[in-house]
């Protein structure tokens, strides 16, 4: 069993991921700016669920949360950046401040978590850090460039930090959920029946959290889809955009 810290898990995929991880006997610390949903499980998992108010954009609150987690659990085996901000507006109607805000949560949030957790993992010569990415960070998509750009950036960050930290026994990974029915995707003009179920995705990712693969998916079919996206990124991006436009029409 592992001691796991996850940033962003009060709802959606992260929420169900935490429940599954707890069911499997892990200890889980959740850092989030909101905690009303995940805190409902504290009575049932008094000794294994630790909930802390923290903001992915605030280094001080993240640092305090990580220190409290280590004090509570003794160490952190797996750290996951799952906090996310997504907008659904075209580039011409999106100013610089929106791009900065999205990058602050999605990319710099992942970087902050890594910089704060890595010293502890390097000292122990082991650990695993996972960033939740998105297919659009590989393929591109319409009216979502701040989010897609931030996800593309964490793909590169994870690869670089994987190379730099190999000598310490630390591995980096990317989680790739499909388009899922969550609050963050509610602005997409896509029928809900075309979206994956958040509980199924979260539980599947939790079951594969210790995969040795760099890209972690919740199912075999999603793994195949991501292989296509990495092999034919722009083609897949244009195709998914056309399908979305048809569904919207």
């Amino acid at each position: 069993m592992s001691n796991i810290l996850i940033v962003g898990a009060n709802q959606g995929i992260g929420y169900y991921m935490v429940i599954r991880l707890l069911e499997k006997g892990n200890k889980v610390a959740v850092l989030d700016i909101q905690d009303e949903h995940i805190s409902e499980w504290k009575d049932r998992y008094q000794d294994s669920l630790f909930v802390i108010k923290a903001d992915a954009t605030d280094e001080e609150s993240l640092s305090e949360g990580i220190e409290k987690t280590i004090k509570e659990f003794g160490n952190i085996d797996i750290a996951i950046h799952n906090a996310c901000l997504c907008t659904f507006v075209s580039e011409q109607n999106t100013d610089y401040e929106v791009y900065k805000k999205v990058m602050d949560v999605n990319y710099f949030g992942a970087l902050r978590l890594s910089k704060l957790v890595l010293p502890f993992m390097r000292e122990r010569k082991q650990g695993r850090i996972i960033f939740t990415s998105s297919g659009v960070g590989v393929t591109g998509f319409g009216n979502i460039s701040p989010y897609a750009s931030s996800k593309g950036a964490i793909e590169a960050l994870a690869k670089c930090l994987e190379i730099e930290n190999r000598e310490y026994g630390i591995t980096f990974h990317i989680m790739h959920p499909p388009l899922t029915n969550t609050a963050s995707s509610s602005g997409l003009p896509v029928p809900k029946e075309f979206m994956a179920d958040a509980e199924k995705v979260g539980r599947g990712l939790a079951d594969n959290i210790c995969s040795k693969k760099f890209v972690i998916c919740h199912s075999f079919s999603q793994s195949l889809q991501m292989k296509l996206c990495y092999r034919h990124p722009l083609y897949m991006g244009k195709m998914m955009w056309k399908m979305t436009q048809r569904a919207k029409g």
Side-chain angles (χ1 to χ4, degrees):
M1 301 307 143
S2 301
N3 298 320
I4 302 168
L5 180 144
I6 177 167
V7 180
N10 184 56
Q11 59 184 346
I13 293 171
Y15 172 84
Y16 291 110
M17 193 188 312
V18 169
I19 294 173
R20 180 59 176 157
L21 291 169
L22 292 168
E23 289 175 352
K24 292 167 71 71
N26 300 285
K27 291 185 176 181
V28 183
V30 174
L31 277 60
D32 205 317
I33 56 175
Q34 297 176 323
D35 65 0
E36 67 275 16
H37 300 304
I38 198 64
S39 290
E40 294 176 358
W41 293 87
K42 288 172 69 174
D43 288 341
R44 182 170 179 177
Y45 295 101
Q46 294 181 22
D47 299 325
S48 52
L49 175 60
F50 193 39
V51 180
I52 307 166
K53 282 284 189 73
D55 185 345
T57 66
D58 181 8
E59 184 175 349
E60 184 177 350
S61 72
L62 279 183
S63 179
E64 290 177 359
I66 290 166
E67 289 176 1
K68 288 178 180 177
T69 300
I70 291 173
K71 185 177 180 180
E72 182 78 12
F73 293 167
N75 62 69
I76 296 172
D77 300 307
I78 303 173
I80 304 171
H81 178 71
N82 187 60
C84 143
L85 178 61
C86 188
T87 59
F88 303 97
V89 183
S90 67
E91 170 275 322
Q92 62 182 331
N93 293 316
T94 304
D95 62 29
Y96 286 111
E97 291 306 312
V98 173
Y99 280 87
K100 291 177 182 178
K101 189 174 181 179
V102 172
M103 288 293 289
D104 199 18
V105 175
N106 300 351
Y107 172 78
F108 285 104
L111 180 58
R112 289 184 191 98
L113 176 63
S114 300
K115 280 188 166 293
L116 291 168
V117 170
L118 277 170
F120 298 103
M121 290 185 171
R122 289 182 185 131
E123 186 176 352
R124 297 179 62 237
K125 295 288 184 179
Q126 64 180 32
R128 167 179 289 245
I129 297 178
I130 304 172
F131 303 150
T132 300
S133 188
S134 170
V136 298
V138 178
T139 66
F141 197 73
N143 294 347
I144 202 171
S145 59
Y147 174 80
S149 299
S150 70
K151 294 301 186 178
I154 65 171
E155 296 260 336
L157 178 64
K159 292 170 187 173
C160 292
L161 297 186
E162 160 75 14
I163 293 168
E164 291 180 17
N165 288 280
R166 179 173 295 184
E167 64 181 289
Y168 298 101
I170 300 166
T171 61
F172 278 77
H173 307 267
I174 291 291
M175 286 196 302
H176 265 291
L179 177 58
T180 306
N181 186 10
T182 64
S184 62
S185 66
S186 61
L188 278 173
V190 178
K192 301 302 181 186
E193 57 267 26
F194 291 173
M195 297 184 179
D197 177 68
E199 181 172 4
K200 183 177 180 180
V201 174
R203 286 177 169 272
L205 288 171
D207 287 340
N208 294 323
I209 201 170
C210 291
S211 170
K212 293 182 180 180
K213 296 179 180 179
F214 177 71
V215 176
I216 299 173
C217 297
H218 82 292
S219 68
F220 178 70
S221 60
Q222 178 65 10
S223 297
L224 289 179
Q225 182 175 322
M226 285 313 305
K227 286 180 180 178
L228 278 173
C229 289
Y230 279 109
R231 184 175 291 272
H232 306 287
L234 193 54
Y235 171 81
M236 292 294 289
K238 289 179 177 179
M239 182 183 71
M240 289 188 293
W241 175 244
K242 287 179 180 178
M243 291 172 62
T244 302
Q245 293 302 99
R246 282 197 217 103
K248 181 180 178 182

